[in-house]
Amino acid sequence: MRKAEPRMFKLSLRSFRLYIAAVAVLFFLLFSFAGYMTAEWYKASDAVLAYSSLNGKSRICLPDSTFVWLNAGSTLEYFVSRWTKERNVRLDGEAYFEVHKDNQRPFVVRTKGAEVCVLGTSFNVNTYGDDGRIYTTLVNGSVRVLSVKNGQEKVLTPGMQGVMNIQTGQLTVREVDVESYV
């Protein structure tokens, strides 16, 4: 019996470069496709829930167990995302909030020029803007009101109202009778 001689596979330098280039293109396409699919998956995981109260008051329970009473002519958008550390809503009009406490995810109400940040409390936000102002009235707990225009920030305690001028962004705080504003 004859011993089988080992076969040598010879590859020219040019062929080797072509194989390397083909493998590199394949990996590039694979990673591009994976990146595209991941971005689409992240987009699909975000949603916006919109609520409107056109001709009367509406009571809404948001997915995070926060209760909201919308006044007539008001619109609320709730942004649902797995990836953010905040619970975000956008308000146009007037709403009373009873925020479910969650220390890990603050609740943020965004309006035309102000942001109200809370962890768990009851408060009212009025953004109708008939007089060029946004009113935030606190019932219990504490909230932080931020003027987006100039960065001014105030922390409210129960019985206080933050008033922000939409034009200048100036934020003032005053004591009020909560029952007449809520």
Side-chain angles (χ1 to χ4, degrees):
M1 296 261 195
R2 239 197 257 167
K3 260 187 165 178
E5 292 183 24
R7 290 182 134 193
M8 295 290 289
F9 180 70
K10 291 189 176 184
L11 188 64
S12 70
L13 185 58
R14 184 172 183 208
S15 297
F16 180 73
R17 287 181 183 163
L18 283 174
Y19 284 123
I20 294 296
V23 168
V25 167
L26 183 66
F27 274 114
F28 175 75
L29 292 174
L30 179 68
F31 285 118
S32 296
F33 180 73
Y36 172 77
M37 292 307 290
T38 302
E40 288 300 313
W41 184 73
Y42 276 114
K43 283 184 205 172
S45 66
D46 295 342
V48 177
L49 302 175
Y51 305 95
S52 293
S53 179
L54 300 176
N55 57 0
K57 293 182 180 177
S58 301
R59 181 178 178 219
I60 302 162
C61 182
L62 298 177
D64 69 341
S65 299
T66 293
F67 286 99
V68 180
W69 284 262
L70 281 179
N71 204 352
S74 300
T75 304
L76 181 78
E77 294 177 344
Y78 182 78
F79 300 92
V80 180
S81 176
R82 299 179 202 156
W83 314 111
T84 61
K85 298 277 189 219
E86 294 178 342
R87 299 172 286 169
N88 293 306
V89 297
R90 185 179 1 216
L91 174 67
D92 185 25
E94 182 177 13
Y96 174 77
F97 296 87
E98 285 185 0
V99 179
H100 178 73
K101 189 170 182 114
D102 185 349
N103 291 334
Q104 305 302 317
R105 297 177 57 219
F107 190 87
V108 179
V109 179
R110 299 184 196 291
T111 65
K112 299 175 201 174
E115 288 183 6
V116 180
C117 182
V118 300
L119 289 176
T121 188
S122 300
F123 63 99
N124 189 74
V125 178
N126 182 338
T127 69
Y128 283 131
D130 298 339
D131 59 354
R133 292 183 171 81
I134 296 172
Y135 299 92
T136 304
T137 308
L138 183 63
V139 177
N140 60 46
S142 69
V143 298
R144 179 177 53 90
V145 181
L146 172 70
S147 171
V148 174
K149 195 164 209 155
N150 63 12
Q152 189 178 6
E153 183 178 308
K154 301 278 184 177
V155 175
L156 303 181
T157 56
M160 304 291 283
Q161 183 180 63
V163 181
M164 192 198 77
N165 186 317
I166 295 172
Q167 302 298 330
T168 64
Q170 184 65 31
L171 187 60
T172 57
V173 176
R174 63 185 183 187
E175 279 193 45
V176 294
D177 176 27
V178 173
E179 294 297 319
S180 61
Y181 286 96
V182 174

